[in-house]
Structure formats: C-alpha cells, structure tokens
Amino acid sequence: MKVGFAGLGAMGSAMAKNILDAGHFLVVWNRSPQAAEALAAQGATQADDPTELANVDVLITMLADDAATWSVVVESGLLGQLVPGAVHVNMATISVALAQELAALHQARGISYVAAPVLGRIDVAAAGNLNILAAGDAAALARVQPLFDVMGQKTWHFGEQPEQANVVKIAANFTLASAIETMAEGAALVRNHGVAAPDFLAMLSGTLFNCPAYKNYGGMIAEQRYSPAGFKLTLGLKDVNLALEAGNQSHTPLPFAGVLKDNFLDAVAQGDGQLDWSGLATVATRRAGLK
Amino acid sequence: MKVGFAGLGAMGSAMAKNILDAGHFLVVWNRSPQAAEALAAQGATQADDPTELANVDVLITMLADDAATWSVVVESGLLGQLVPGAVHVNMATISVALAQELAALHQARGISYVAAPVLGRIDVAAAGNLNILAAGDAAALARVQPLFDVMGQKTWHFGEQPEQANVVKIAANFTLASAIETMAEGAALVRNHGVAAPDFLAMLSGTLFNCPAYKNYGGMIAEQRYSPAGFKLTLGLKDVNLALEAGNQSHTPLPFAGVLKDNFLDAVAQGDGQLDWSGLATVATRRAGLK
Amino acid sequence: MKVGFAGLGAMGSAMAKNILDAGHFLVVWNRSPQAAEALAAQGATQADDPTELANVDVLITMLADDAATWSVVVESGLLGQLVPGAVHVNMATISVALAQELAALHQARGISYVAAPVLGRIDVAAAGNLNILAAGDAAALARVQPLFDVMGQKTWHFGEQPEQANVVKIAANFTLASAIETMAEGAALVRNHGVAAPDFLAMLSGTLFNCPAYKNYGGMIAEQRYSPAGFKLTLGLKDVNLALEAGNQSHTPLPFAGVLKDNFLDAVAQGDGQLDWSGLATVATRRAGLK
Amino acid sequence: MKVGFAGLGAMGSAMAKNILDAGHFLVVWNRSPQAAEALAAQGATQADDPTELANVDVLITMLADDAATWSVVVESGLLGQLVPGAVHVNMATISVALAQELAALHQARGISYVAAPVLGRIDVAAAGNLNILAAGDAAALARVQPLFDVMGQKTWHFGEQPEQANVVKIAANFTLASAIETMAEGAALVRNHGVAAPDFLAMLSGTLFNCPAYKNYGGMIAEQRYSPAGFKLTLGLKDVNLALEAGNQSHTPLPFAGVLKDNFLDAVAQGDGQLDWSGLATVATRRAGLK
C-alpha cells in the first residue's frame, strides 16, 4: 500500500517505522523535518509539505492536538487534494467535536475517514503492540486493518461514526486519570495514619488492581517519581477537558472529571505542569498537609 | 491452638470453617445461633454467650460493623474476661476511631490486639485465598500467622498500630468504589455518543485495566446486573463514610470520596440501597438522561 | 452623540430605547428586523446590515453570545469599517478569550474597545437602572459615560483591560448560580427533615441574606416556580462554562463551578433546559428523593 | 420566671445577661466558674454543679457541641432531676441526631424540650437582637417566648420536632459557608485576570448581594483579614460536618457541602484552623497560585 504519514512525534515515528518495516511505500511529513529525515534515511520518502501526502491509498495522521490536526489536514489543503478512494486514518487524540466536523468534511469530499486513536506509550508503539481503538465505515476499516496489524496487537471496534473511537479514547484517558487521583487520595489518607504509601500501593496492585494502570502509576506515586514525564500533566489536563467538553455536548455529568480538572489546574498553578501526569498526586499530598 | 470466633456471617463462617479444618480447637458464637450450629455439626464448640470465648489463645472477631463489634467485644464483658496472653484478631472492617479505642482498651488490659481486615468475597474466603491486611504488635502477628495461613493466600503488613490495617482496608474499598464510579461515568459518556457500554468496558478490562476490580465490576455495569447483591450499596455507603471519617480525623481532603458519598446517597434516595454497590452506576446513567 | 446599536433582544431594546429617549442620534440593527422596526417607529434609524453602523461615535453591541458577537462585529466587516476615533462598547456577556481577541483586533485598527456587561433583568434595563460593569481605556470610558448614565444607575470600573469587566460579569453570574445551588441543597436537606422549604428560605432572606439574589431566587425555589424563564437554564449552563473556561485559561480551580456544571447538565438531560435557571433546584430535589 | 442557664461562653453570657436584666430569677452554671461569677456579680445565682439548675421553670443550655451538651444535660444527672413541668430550651448548634435523642429522652421523662439555636454573633446577642430559630411543642414554645423576646429580635418557627430547628440552623450555617466559598472562588478567578478582589466583592455586596452575609465576609476576604476569629475555621468544619451527617441520615446529597468539607480540611491541614472561617478563602487563593 502507498501510505502517507503526518505527525512524527515519538509515537508517530515509532508507528511509521513499523509500517515501513512491513514493506509499504511510505511518504512522511513532519512540521520540524528532523523526524522525517530519520525515516527517510530508512527508506521513506520525505514530503516538504502536507499536500505531498495527497496521492496515497491511506493517509495516517498522528498530530498533537485539535489545532495541529486542523492546520495540517484542512488548512494546508491536504484534505482538498486527497485522491478519490483514499482512506484517512486519524490516530490522534482529538475532541469529539473535531471528529464530527472532520467526518462531515471528508464525507462531503467522498473520502473515507476513520478514527483510530491508540493506547500505549512509545515503547509499546515501537514494539507494534498498541491497542487500536477504531471507528468508521466498515469497508474502510477492513482496508486499513493490515496497517493496524503492524502497528498494534489488537484492534477494538466501536461503531461506524469516527467520533465513537475518539470518545472511547477520551474515556479511557479519563479512567487512567481517575485511577491516579484515587491512588493519590488513598495514599494521602493512609500516610496521614502512619502507613507508608508504597505498602498500600503495592498491596493494591498485588491484589484487586494487578493491572498496568495501577502497577505503573502506583509505582510512580509510591516513589514520588514524576519526572521525566512520560505524558505531561498539561496533556492530562487537556484530555480531561476533552472529556468535559464531550460531556457538555452530550449532557453527561462527570463529577470525577470535574475534580480531576480542578486538581490538574491546581498542579499547574503551583508550577508543576511539566511533571508526568501522575504528578497529579502532588495535589492530594499537599492538601493533606504532607510532603 | 484454641481459637474463639465471634461473627459467623457468610464471610466469618467460611473463615472459621478453614480454621476448624486445619485442626484447631474452635469455639464459636453468633448472635443468631444457626450459623454456630452449622459449625458445631462439623466439630466446633458452640458458645451461648460471647464471654464463653474468653478462655482461648486467639479470639477472632468478624462482626458486621462498629456497633456490633463494640457490643460483642466490650459491652458483653468478653474483653474484660479474656485470659492474659490471649491475642484478639479483629478481621472486620471497622472505623479508624474504633480501632484506636479498642487498641487502647486492650493495651490497658494487657491483651494483644491485632487488626486484620480482609480482601475477598465469600468464595475466596471459602477457598482460603483471602488477602489479609494486618497491623499490630509484631510478636502477636507472628503468633497468629498460622491462622492467617489457613484463611488467606497472603498477609500484608502495614505497621504496629492496629488502625493502620483498618485505614488500608478502608482505602482499598474506597479504591474499588472509585473504580466503579469511574466506569459508570465513562460508560455514560460513551453511551451518550452511541458506543455500547460493554464494548467500552471490555476494552478497558482487556487492556490497561485487566484486573479483578475492573473485570468483575465492569462486567456487572456492562450488563446492568446489580442484583443479587454481592456487597450491598448501603454497605458501600457505610465504607465511604468510614473513609470520610478517617479523612476528617486526619485532615485529609478526599474529593473523590465526597462525590461517591453523594452518589451513594442519591441511589439510596431513589430506593436502590439493596442493589449491589456496583449499582452506583445507576446514578451516572440516570443523571445523563440514559436508561 | 451618534450611537450605533446592534443586538435588540429584550435587554438590548430596552437599553437602546433609553439612549434614544435621552436625545442621541441612534442607528440600530438586529438580525430579525422586527425589533429594529419598533425602535425606528420611535425615531431611530434602522440599518439593514451591521456595516451601516460603522459611521458612529459610539457602537454598542449587545449580542447573544460569542458566536453572534464574532459574526456581527468581525465577519460582517463592521469592525473593519468603523471610523477612526469611534468607541465600541460591548455590553454582552462573552468569554474572556473572545474579549482578549476583540481587544487585540480593535487595537490593531486603532479603535477604542470597552467591555461593559450589565447586571439586571429586562425591567431594570427599561428603568435605566442597570449596574454596568466596565473595563477599558480610561479616556474611552469617560467618553461613553453619558450613555452609561442613561442606561444604568451605577458604573463599576474594573481595570484597563476590557476582559476584566467580562471576568467580573462571569464571576457575578457564577455567584448567582452558587446561591441558587446553595438554597436548593439547603432546602432539600430541611425538607428531608420535615421543614417546609418556604419557611427556611424566608428566614434566610429575612436575616443574613436579605438581598435581591436570595429574595428573588429563594422565592422561586420556595414556590417551585421555574417557568416562564426569566433567564433560561441553558444560558445558566453557558455562563458557568464561561467561568470554567476562564478558570482553565488562568489555572484557577473552581470546585463549586464544577458542581454547578454537572447539575445544570443533569437538569438539561432530564429535559428541563427551558426552565428558569433557578430550576437548577430540581436536581437537588430529585437526587434527595423529593418531589 | 425562674430560669436556669448552662453554658456561659461569650454568646451564652450575653444572652443570660439579657434575661437577668429583664427581671427574671436566674441561676447559672459554667464549666469554668469565671463566667458564672461575672453574672453572679450582677445578680444571678451561681451553681456549682449542673444539677443545681434542676429546679427551674425554664432551663436554657448553650453548650459548645454535642459532647458538652450530652455531658452537662444527661450525664451530670440534670435531665433526670428536672422538675415536672419544666421546659428545656437548647439554644446550641447540635446535630440532628442528638436533637432526636434528646427529644426522646425528655419525652420519656415528661419534660418539654425545645430547640432554639440562634443566628447572630456576640454583639448581636448582647443587643438582644438575635434571630431565634425555634421548633418544638407549641405550648412549650409559647411559654418561653417572653425569654426569646428579651434575647432576640424575632423568633422563626419550623415545626413541632425540635430537630427541625437544628437542621435549619445547620442549613443556615451551610449557606454562610457556601457564600464564603463562592466569594473565594470568584475572587481567585478575577484576581487571576488582573481585577482587584475588593473591587469585585464591593460590587457584589453593592448590588445583588447587599446583605450582611456578603458584606461582612466579603469585607474580610477583600482585606484577607482572617484574625482575630469571630467564628473559628475549625467550628466551620464542625458545622459542615453536621450538615453532611444530617444529609447522610436523610439521604440528601449535598455536593457543595462536600467541597466545603474538603476545603476546610485543606485549611486545617495547612495550619490555619484558628483563623476565622472566612479564612476558607485562603484555600481557593493558594490553589489558584495566588498569595
């Protein structure tokens, strides 16, 4: 397949590399060219402008946020120039509202549009072990499944409207943030009664909560090890805001998300926005009078 | 060892049975005598009054709540008659405040007092696979470890003050309730965007959250299967209140626990107090305008 | 003075009428022409297009929301055609972000821009008794003060940045919504203990809270009289969202606003969005198991 | 009338003085005798033990909290010795649960029991201008009305169950605390956009909120003047807990009260428990990154 790939951050680069390694023709674009050059050195074609990705079977975008996605996909003219029959697979975490708008714009142009945000950090992406959360037209999804197979260990389907994958990704990140906050509050409570936080957290992740979310973030909270950031606290705030916006749009009260937002804002206001988002735990710690 | 056991609810009966099966001498008491009779039929001695448990090496209590514990242990005269050198192991979920008070009362009488609340439901207790959360004097804990070994798969230690095990148990139940609420809010959000709740929840428990808490309760929420209750919603409310009381005592803000309390109260006010506590999810569902 | 006025809803019409009655030359525009015709019948000049308001000393806009403001002021070309030396007074409740953007756009064109949202409902506007919350360049404010004097009983100043008046207006509406929620929760609590809500609310507004906010909204809650709407619940939700956005932008946690948002969403999800925003009280009532 | 008065804190002393000045026979008791001595110097009879207040027409108690009330009224033996036909008027802020228990105990003994907590601080009490929130048997209330008339400017009636006055008092204090929190959040928001908090708060209390609650506490927040305490922050926490307990008992969700509790705990955890309860505002200030 001829594949275009825009957005070569750490995640995007790892994903694109797997596509290249699987033998597909790959043309890549990134705002800062270094990441594209690295892939070009391995056989990809480097584009100087997003519109040079227009002539592909499948366009994959993995851009930072709503604004970057809009700029590169729409404002650049790329969407307007995509060849008939192409499928655009947007793998970034974007808002439900933008997903809806992009779906409408693609439909108006007769281009298939699929949302496929992912679960997994950089090492998981590099290993081709992502979990891919997909939604869109069934035929389009079937066409791009071979690409999903080289990027991910499993593809989960959520419906025919692309936004459905986005809302699931947003809800998954909300679930992670809630787990972090829960561990933070619980750790503050037990510490204020003389129990070491690592003892409490190790018990959780050794019993009812022995899964990656609690093991990984529980370990970071136990050690108060919030930098370097795997996923920045400011990005956590952004994603909680995506949940709140989706809730607002669909009239879904989300009281836990409201607490999370306030605590992320508190952390940012104290100057901790560059910590890993598990650094959300600093808020419960400080508010409980602990160090 | 000569073991006394008071409090033969479903959990207590299963635990006492394992002690009996391990060959210990067991004398049992329960407010309603039927449960004691069942164990007596298998070789235990049935006491007619709590004070008949006074002459043991180890007294185990597994009573319903603070009030029952106070009544059976203190008001009955049992504590006052325990023989010197006895160890009292309280395995119930009680408040931090009562744990502190009991610790002081036992110390004044020269009786070792150990807190050892457990994680696991009835089937886990029957299989001797509980996780035991223990705190208290190290020598006393060592003495009763053989009993823990027949009731549980693992004993976790949290300190020398009995209340430390209680606050950990309370925090663990808070963590479970938070997981339920998180899944409930997330499920309401994705449903309001056309995604089936089971699809979302299966993905969670198949990826980052593949652990018992999310699998079990996620399954119940996915199927909206809240009865029969494994653990009643009103008990969930009680345990969240224990967390809030512990937070109050130690000046620990717990915003998630506050949300949980309000939602448990909402559920009870709608007449759903007898549901399983995963029925907490009915609140997010109703508030989002869903059925 | 030659005054242009865009946005003739019930509030805008009442305000424009007072300007006309004070003897100023007034040219008016409204999306649906009927409101403009009514003023034209009383001596105003009716514009067919927003740009016909460009040749004035003072442009006043009182448009429904951010989108309407952007459309009429910027997209129509009006701002681009305002004559040098004109002052634009935006009296609508808009977001802090739009206020900042408009301030920058006006500055770039050399047009003075003043924000002056108001407190008071239609009857207060008709009587010329509004409280005007103003911010902007001091000289520009001085020039338009004669117009404020005919529309309002008092002008309050909050700084030289127009957005400062907007954030104060947003915070004032947040304060009102919080008062409504507080009375709703308090009323639910006392009702659940057998006290009549009107008795409780009359006591509040007869003692420590004898001020318009508690008298007016307390009366509506006491009588459960939520329609016709003086200010729709959906607009209350919009304004709480403006507070949350401003908080987000400036890293200000607002936990009460988070509760308000969830409760407004709950009300809208139950189909009550067209009630008066004091109908927020239906949420506390329902959640408490009351009718 | 022959009046007994127990609990001579600053409030109780001022109230008792007015009763004495009105010509009633007054016998007083206080845990620390100095306050009783001061009244004795003005004509009251000083009791050395609570039971010396048993032989009165009306017993008034104004004790610090539930524990002090229980100790002085019940444990001392006073209630058991009250003469038939006496009326006990409890003017303290106590829990709904204790009010119910005391009502039952008095009824069992054939003693009339009236709850009459008050609104107003010390200077208001001294001036005989309290607002008295009363509930209980109508005949008993009528008998003690002459005493209410010398202590207060107005008596508000809430029902025949004494607890009804207590829940109203608790809800009134919750309303005050919510007003403080609202002003604190609003002030933090406007400050983070460059508006001076006093400008915002003066506008509120000069317009829709021109009532004592907003004027008094708004002034303290504007000046960040939180000591000396008129009413300590720790007492504010106590009263919010009374609201939450009453909500718990009656299945009334109170999300604002939950936020208040967390913020009071936060303040106490930072060492600010001795501030005036308007010092709750320090929490919103700190969390917003402000000084």
Side-chain angles (χ1 to χ4, degrees):
Chain A
M1 260 190 278
K2 188 170 179 186
V3 179
F5 204 115
L8 300 169
M11 287 294 290
S13 290
M15 293 154 71
K17 177 67 162 55
N18 283 326
I19 290 173
L20 190 64
D21 289 351
H24 298 284
F25 178 89
L26 184 71
V27 51
V28 295
W29 177 86
N30 196 55
R31 193 173 48 175
S32 58
Q34 292 85 343
E37 287 161 9
L39 281 159
Q42 300 173 73
T45 299
Q46 184 175 357
D48 294 326
D49 187 88
T51 54
E52 295 176 28
L53 306 185
N55 187 25
V56 293
D57 299 312
V58 178
L59 168 67
I60 299 176
T61 55
M62 186 65 179
L63 297 148
D65 54 20
D66 278 25
T69 300
W70 185 257
S71 167
V72 172
V73 174
V74 181
E75 290 183 345
S76 74
L78 172 54
L79 171 57
Q81 299 178 34
L82 277 177
V83 296
V87 180
H88 174 196
V89 183
N90 186 343
M91 304 188 78
T93 300
I94 62 166
S95 70
V96 168
L98 179 58
Q100 293 169 329
E101 191 167 1
L102 287 174
L105 287 173
H106 284 73
Q107 187 165 28
R109 283 219 57 241
I111 303 289
S112 294
Y113 178 66
V114 163
V118 299
L119 292 182
R121 291 192 172 188
I122 297 161
D123 55 335
V124 178
N129 281 335
L130 294 168
N131 278 281
I132 296 175
L133 315 180
D137 173 71
L141 282 168
R143 279 187 57 203
V144 299
Q145 185 61 43
L147 299 175
F148 290 167
D149 288 340
V150 300
M151 291 186 284
Q153 60 171 291
K154 181 160 182 177
T155 303
W156 306 77
H157 291 97
F158 295 103
E160 301 215 331
Q161 305 303 320
E163 78 204 58
Q164 294 177 312
N166 295 103
V167 78
V168 167
K169 167 65 179 174
I170 289 167
N173 278 15
F174 158 72
T175 308
L176 281 168
S178 289
I180 292 169
E181 172 68 17
T182 299
M183 286 188 278
E185 293 188 20
L189 180 64
V190 303
R191 284 184 65 195
N192 264 344
H193 289 86
V195 175
D199 291 352
F200 166 63
L201 294 165
M203 182 278 291
L204 284 184
S205 65
T207 58
L208 296 165
F209 297 91
N210 58 341
C211 49
Y214 287 80
K215 283 182 190 163
N216 296 348
Y217 293 114
M220 295 165 83
I221 295 169
E223 301 174 23
Q224 302 196 32
R225 172 177 40 88
Y226 306 127
S227 55
F231 184 70
K232 278 188 195 168
L233 203 148
T234 49
L235 295 176
L237 172 57
K238 178 178 80 72
D239 284 0
V240 166
N241 275 321
L242 291 180
L244 289 166
E245 287 166 21
N248 206 43
Q249 187 190 36
S250 58
H251 306 147
T252 311
L254 296 171
F256 267 21
V259 171
L260 290 172
K261 180 184 182 175
D262 281 330
N263 286 359
F264 276 122
L265 286 175
D266 184 336
V268 174
Q270 314 306 320
D272 289 337
Q274 300 308 306
L275 297 182
D276 187 82
W277 70 331
S278 55
L280 180 66
T282 57
V283 176
T285 304
R286 179 173 50 249
R287 296 191 74 196
L290 292 161
K291 287 282 182 296
Chain B
M1 260 190 278
K2 186 169 180 187
V3 179
F5 204 115
L8 300 169
M11 287 294 290
S13 290
M15 293 154 71
K17 176 67 161 55
N18 283 326
I19 291 172
L20 191 64
D21 289 350
H24 297 285
F25 177 89
L26 183 72
V27 50
V28 295
W29 177 86
N30 195 55
R31 192 173 50 176
S32 57
Q34 292 84 342
E37 288 160 8
L39 281 160
Q42 299 172 74
T45 299
Q46 182 175 357
D48 295 326
D49 187 88
T51 53
E52 295 175 28
L53 306 185
N55 187 26
V56 292
D57 300 311
V58 178
L59 166 68
I60 299 177
T61 55
M62 185 65 179
L63 297 148
D65 54 20
D66 278 25
T69 301
W70 185 256
S71 166
V72 173
V73 174
V74 182
E75 290 183 345
S76 74
L78 172 55
L79 171 57
Q81 299 177 34
L82 276 177
V83 297
V87 180
H88 174 196
V89 183
N90 187 343
M91 304 188 77
T93 299
I94 62 165
S95 71
V96 168
L98 179 58
Q100 293 168 328
E101 191 167 3
L102 287 174
L105 287 173
H106 284 73
Q107 187 166 27
R109 283 219 57 241
I111 303 289
S112 295
Y113 178 65
V114 163
V118 299
L119 292 183
R121 290 192 171 187
I122 297 160
D123 55 335
V124 178
N129 282 334
L130 293 168
N131 278 282
I132 296 174
L133 315 180
D137 173 70
L141 283 168
R143 280 186 56 202
V144 299
Q145 186 60 44
L147 298 174
F148 289 167
D149 288 340
V150 302
M151 291 186 283
Q153 60 172 290
K154 182 159 181 177
T155 302
W156 306 78
H157 291 96
F158 295 103
E160 302 215 331
Q161 305 303 322
E163 78 205 58
Q164 294 176 313
N166 295 103
V167 78
V168 167
K169 166 66 178 174
I170 289 167
N173 277 15
F174 158 72
T175 307
L176 281 167
S178 289
I180 291 170
E181 172 69 18
T182 299
M183 287 188 278
E185 293 188 19
L189 180 65
V190 302
R191 284 184 65 195
N192 264 343
H193 289 86
V195 176
D199 290 351
F200 166 64
L201 294 165
M203 182 278 292
L204 284 185
S205 65
T207 57
L208 296 165
F209 297 91
N210 60 340
C211 49
Y214 287 79
K215 283 183 191 163
N216 295 348
Y217 292 114
M220 296 166 83
I221 295 169
E223 302 174 22
Q224 302 196 32
R225 172 176 40 87
Y226 305 127
S227 56
F231 184 70
K232 278 188 196 169
L233 203 149
T234 49
L235 295 177
L237 172 57
K238 177 178 79 73
D239 283 1
V240 166
N241 274 321
L242 291 180
L244 288 166
E245 287 167 20
N248 206 43
Q249 185 189 38
S250 58
H251 307 147
T252 311
L254 297 171
F256 267 20
V259 171
L260 291 171
K261 179 183 182 175
D262 281 329
N263 286 358
F264 276 122
L265 286 175
D266 184 337
V268 174
Q270 314 307 321
D272 289 337
Q274 300 307 306
L275 298 182
D276 187 82
W277 71 331
S278 54
L280 180 66
T282 58
V283 176
T285 304
R286 178 173 50 248
R287 297 192 74 198
L290 293 160
K291 288 279 183 300
Chain C
M1 258 189 280
K2 187 169 177 187
V3 179
F5 204 115
L8 301 169
M11 287 294 292
S13 290
M15 293 155 71
K17 177 67 162 54
N18 283 326
I19 291 173
L20 190 63
D21 289 351
H24 295 285
F25 178 90
L26 183 72
V27 50
V28 295
W29 177 87
N30 196 56
R31 192 173 49 177
S32 57
Q34 292 85 343
E37 288 160 8
L39 281 160
Q42 299 173 73
T45 298
Q46 183 174 358
D48 294 327
D49 188 88
T51 53
E52 296 175 27
L53 305 184
N55 188 26
V56 293
D57 300 312
V58 178
L59 168 68
I60 299 177
T61 55
M62 186 66 181
L63 296 148
D65 54 20
D66 278 25
T69 301
W70 186 256
S71 167
V72 172
V73 174
V74 181
E75 290 183 346
S76 74
L78 172 55
L79 172 57
Q81 299 178 33
L82 276 177
V83 296
V87 180
H88 174 196
V89 183
N90 187 342
M91 304 189 77
T93 300
I94 62 165
S95 71
V96 168
L98 179 58
Q100 294 169 327
E101 191 167 1
L102 287 174
L105 287 172
H106 284 72
Q107 186 166 30
R109 285 219 56 242
I111 304 289
S112 294
Y113 178 66
V114 164
V118 299
L119 292 182
R121 291 192 172 186
I122 297 161
D123 55 336
V124 177
N129 282 334
L130 294 168
N131 278 282
I132 297 175
L133 315 180
D137 173 71
L141 283 168
R143 278 186 59 201
V144 300
Q145 186 61 41
L147 299 175
F148 290 167
D149 289 340
V150 301
M151 290 186 284
Q153 59 172 290
K154 182 160 182 177
T155 302
W156 306 77
H157 290 97
F158 295 103
E160 301 216 331
Q161 305 303 322
E163 78 205 57
Q164 295 176 312
N166 295 104
V167 79
V168 167
K169 165 67 178 174
I170 289 166
N173 277 15
F174 158 72
T175 307
L176 281 168
S178 289
I180 292 170
E181 172 69 18
T182 299
M183 286 187 279
E185 294 188 19
L189 181 64
V190 302
R191 284 184 64 194
N192 265 343
H193 288 86
V195 175
D199 290 352
F200 166 64
L201 294 166
M203 181 278 291
L204 284 185
S205 65
T207 58
L208 296 165
F209 297 90
N210 59 339
C211 49
Y214 287 80
K215 283 182 190 163
N216 295 348
Y217 293 114
M220 295 165 83
I221 295 169
E223 302 174 22
Q224 303 196 32
R225 171 176 41 87
Y226 305 128
S227 56
F231 184 71
K232 277 188 195 169
L233 202 148
T234 49
L235 295 177
L237 173 56
K238 179 179 79 72
D239 283 1
V240 166
N241 274 322
L242 292 180
L244 288 165
E245 287 166 20
N248 207 43
Q249 185 190 37
S250 58
H251 306 147
T252 312
L254 296 171
F256 266 21
V259 171
L260 290 171
K261 180 184 181 174
D262 281 330
N263 286 359
F264 275 122
L265 286 174
D266 184 336
V268 174
Q270 314 307 320
D272 289 337
Q274 300 308 306
L275 297 182
D276 187 81
W277 70 330
S278 55
L280 180 67
T282 58
V283 176
T285 303
R286 179 173 50 249
R287 298 191 73 197
L290 293 161
K291 288 285 183 295
Chain D
M1 259 189 277
K2 187 169 180 186
V3 179
F5 204 114
L8 300 168
M11 287 294 291
S13 290
M15 293 154 71
K17 177 68 162 53
N18 283 326
I19 291 174
L20 191 64
D21 290 349
H24 297 285
F25 178 90
L26 184 71
V27 50
V28 295
W29 177 86
N30 195 57
R31 191 174 49 175
S32 57
Q34 293 84 343
E37 288 160 8
L39 281 159
Q42 299 173 74
T45 299
Q46 183 174 356
D48 294 327
D49 187 89
T51 53
E52 296 176 27
L53 305 184
N55 187 25
V56 293
D57 300 311
V58 178
L59 167 67
I60 299 177
T61 55
M62 185 66 180
L63 296 148
D65 54 21
D66 277 25
T69 301
W70 185 256
S71 167
V72 172
V73 174
V74 181
E75 290 183 346
S76 74
L78 171 56
L79 171 57
Q81 299 177 34
L82 275 177
V83 295
V87 181
H88 174 195
V89 183
N90 187 342
M91 303 188 78
T93 300
I94 63 166
S95 71
V96 167
L98 180 57
Q100 293 169 327
E101 190 167 3
L102 287 174
L105 287 173
H106 284 72
Q107 187 166 28
R109 283 219 57 240
I111 304 289
S112 294
Y113 177 66
V114 163
V118 298
L119 292 183
R121 290 192 172 187
I122 297 161
D123 54 337
V124 177
N129 282 333
L130 293 168
N131 278 283
I132 296 175
L133 315 180
D137 173 70
L141 283 168
R143 278 186 58 201
V144 299
Q145 185 61 43
L147 299 174
F148 289 168
D149 289 339
V150 301
M151 290 187 284
Q153 60 172 289
K154 182 159 181 178
T155 303
W156 305 78
H157 291 97
F158 295 104
E160 300 216 332
Q161 305 304 321
E163 78 206 57
Q164 294 176 312
N166 294 103
V167 79
V168 167
K169 166 67 177 173
I170 289 166
N173 277 15
F174 158 71
T175 308
L176 281 168
S178 289
I180 292 170
E181 172 67 18
T182 299
M183 287 187 278
E185 293 188 19
L189 181 64
V190 302
R191 284 184 65 193
N192 264 343
H193 288 86
V195 176
D199 290 351
F200 166 65
L201 294 165
M203 182 278 292
L204 284 184
S205 65
T207 58
L208 296 165
F209 297 91
N210 59 340
C211 49
Y214 287 79
K215 282 183 191 163
N216 296 348
Y217 293 114
M220 295 164 82
I221 295 169
E223 302 174 22
Q224 303 197 31
R225 172 175 40 87
Y226 305 127
S227 56
F231 184 71
K232 277 188 197 170
L233 203 149
T234 48
L235 295 177
L237 172 57
K238 178 178 78 72
D239 283 1
V240 166
N241 274 321
L242 292 180
L244 289 165
E245 287 167 20
N248 206 43
Q249 185 191 37
S250 58
H251 308 148
T252 311
L254 297 171
F256 267 19
V259 170
L260 290 172
K261 180 183 181 175
D262 282 329
N263 286 358
F264 276 122
L265 287 174
D266 185 336
V268 174
Q270 313 308 319
D272 289 337
Q274 300 308 306
L275 297 182
D276 186 83
W277 70 332
S278 55
L280 181 66
T282 58
V283 176
T285 303
R286 179 172 50 247
R287 297 191 73 198
L290 292 161
K291 289 281 183 299

